[in-house]
Amino acid sequence: QVQLVESGGGLVQAGDSLRLSCAASGRTFSNYAMGWFRQAPGKERDFVAGISWNGAPTLYADSVKGRFTISRDNAKNTIYLQMNRLKPEDTAVYYCASTPNPLANSNVRSYNYWGQGTQVTVSS
């Protein structure tokens, strides 16, 4: 069993930055890829970013490339999502997820553990 707890969401203005964190427990964190997804009201859960077991390679959705950065600290069992130049369309609940695979991927079905989510709201 894996427990994932996100934090760092909030209400910001367009152009601002936020850093999300996801603390993991319950299994050997450093062996597995992790990912961030987001879900806006009435929409499907979409891939945002993924990071492989040792930090590389990383993957990003086209909509966030150049603005968001995913990273991990295996010593702290934590991953991060640095979000810069936020836009109103980034507004969503952001979820951290764990996959049993070592390499990052964007397939939501490959992730088998999920956090409870953290709300990010970007005002224009």
Side-chain angles (χ1 to χ4, degrees), residues 3 5 44 50 54 61 71 73 96 98 105 119:
Q3 293 78 42
V5 179
E44 294 185 350
N54 64 347
S71 61
D73 185 338
C96 166
S98 173
N105 74 88
Q119 177 71 46

Short mmCIF file of all heavy atoms in Angstrom, two decimals, residues 3 5 44 50 54 61 71 73 96 98 105 119:
data_model
loop_
_atom_site.label_atom_id
_atom_site.label_comp_id
_atom_site.label_asym_id
_atom_site.label_seq_id
_atom_site.Cartn_x
_atom_site.Cartn_y
_atom_site.Cartn_z
N GLN A 3 0.81 5.52 0.28
CA GLN A 3 0.06 6.72 0.64
C GLN A 3 0.76 7.92 0.02
O GLN A 3 1.98 8.07 0.12
CB GLN A 3 -0.01 6.89 2.16
CG GLN A 3 -0.82 5.83 2.88
CD GLN A 3 -0.05 4.52 3.05
OE1 GLN A 3 1.13 4.53 3.37
NE2 GLN A 3 -0.73 3.41 2.83
N VAL A 5 0.40 12.18 -0.31
CA VAL A 5 -0.24 13.36 0.25
C VAL A 5 0.30 14.60 -0.45
O VAL A 5 1.50 14.92 -0.33
CB VAL A 5 -0.01 13.47 1.76
CG1 VAL A 5 -0.69 14.72 2.31
CG2 VAL A 5 -0.55 12.22 2.47
N GLU A 44 -11.89 15.39 -18.05
CA GLU A 44 -11.16 14.19 -17.67
C GLU A 44 -9.88 14.55 -16.94
O GLU A 44 -9.40 15.68 -17.01
CB GLU A 44 -10.84 13.36 -18.92
CG GLU A 44 -12.06 12.79 -19.62
CD GLU A 44 -11.67 11.89 -20.78
OE1 GLU A 44 -10.49 11.87 -21.14
OE2 GLU A 44 -12.57 11.21 -21.32
N GLY A 50 5.67 13.79 -15.65
CA GLY A 50 6.10 12.52 -15.06
C GLY A 50 7.60 12.52 -14.88
O GLY A 50 8.33 13.19 -15.62
N ASN A 54 14.89 7.65 -11.15
CA ASN A 54 16.12 8.34 -10.73
C ASN A 54 16.15 9.80 -11.16
O ASN A 54 17.20 10.43 -11.12
CB ASN A 54 17.33 7.61 -11.28
CG ASN A 54 17.37 7.62 -12.79
OD1 ASN A 54 16.39 7.98 -13.45
ND2 ASN A 54 18.49 7.26 -13.38
N ALA A 61 3.28 17.48 -20.47
CA ALA A 61 2.23 17.80 -21.42
C ALA A 61 2.64 19.05 -22.19
O ALA A 61 3.31 19.94 -21.64
CB ALA A 61 0.92 18.04 -20.69
N SER A 71 10.28 17.45 -10.24
CA SER A 71 11.54 16.98 -9.65
C SER A 71 11.21 16.04 -8.51
O SER A 71 10.05 15.93 -8.09
CB SER A 71 12.38 18.16 -9.17
OG SER A 71 11.68 18.90 -8.17
N ASP A 73 13.00 14.16 -4.74
CA ASP A 73 14.04 13.99 -3.75
C ASP A 73 13.81 12.63 -3.12
O ASP A 73 12.95 12.47 -2.25
CB ASP A 73 13.97 15.11 -2.70
CG ASP A 73 15.11 15.05 -1.70
OD1 ASP A 73 15.71 13.97 -1.53
OD2 ASP A 73 15.41 16.09 -1.09
N CYS A 96 -1.16 13.78 -7.41
CA CYS A 96 0.10 13.05 -7.47
C CYS A 96 -0.23 11.57 -7.63
O CYS A 96 -1.21 11.09 -7.04
CB CYS A 96 0.86 13.31 -6.18
SG CYS A 96 2.24 12.25 -5.83
N SER A 98 1.48 7.35 -8.40
CA SER A 98 2.61 6.45 -8.44
C SER A 98 2.32 5.30 -9.41
O SER A 98 1.20 4.79 -9.46
CB SER A 98 2.86 5.90 -7.04
OG SER A 98 3.85 4.90 -7.05
N ASN A 105 5.79 7.88 -17.66
CA ASN A 105 4.89 7.76 -18.80
C ASN A 105 3.64 8.56 -18.53
O ASN A 105 3.37 8.96 -17.40
CB ASN A 105 4.55 6.29 -19.06
CG ASN A 105 3.59 5.72 -18.05
OD1 ASN A 105 2.39 5.80 -18.20
ND2 ASN A 105 4.12 5.16 -16.97
N GLN A 119 -6.15 21.72 -4.68
CA GLN A 119 -6.77 22.66 -5.60
C GLN A 119 -5.81 23.79 -5.96
O GLN A 119 -5.20 24.42 -5.08
CB GLN A 119 -8.03 23.26 -4.97
CG GLN A 119 -8.72 24.31 -5.81
CD GLN A 119 -9.40 23.74 -7.05
OE1 GLN A 119 -10.09 22.73 -6.98
NE2 GLN A 119 -9.18 24.37 -8.20
#
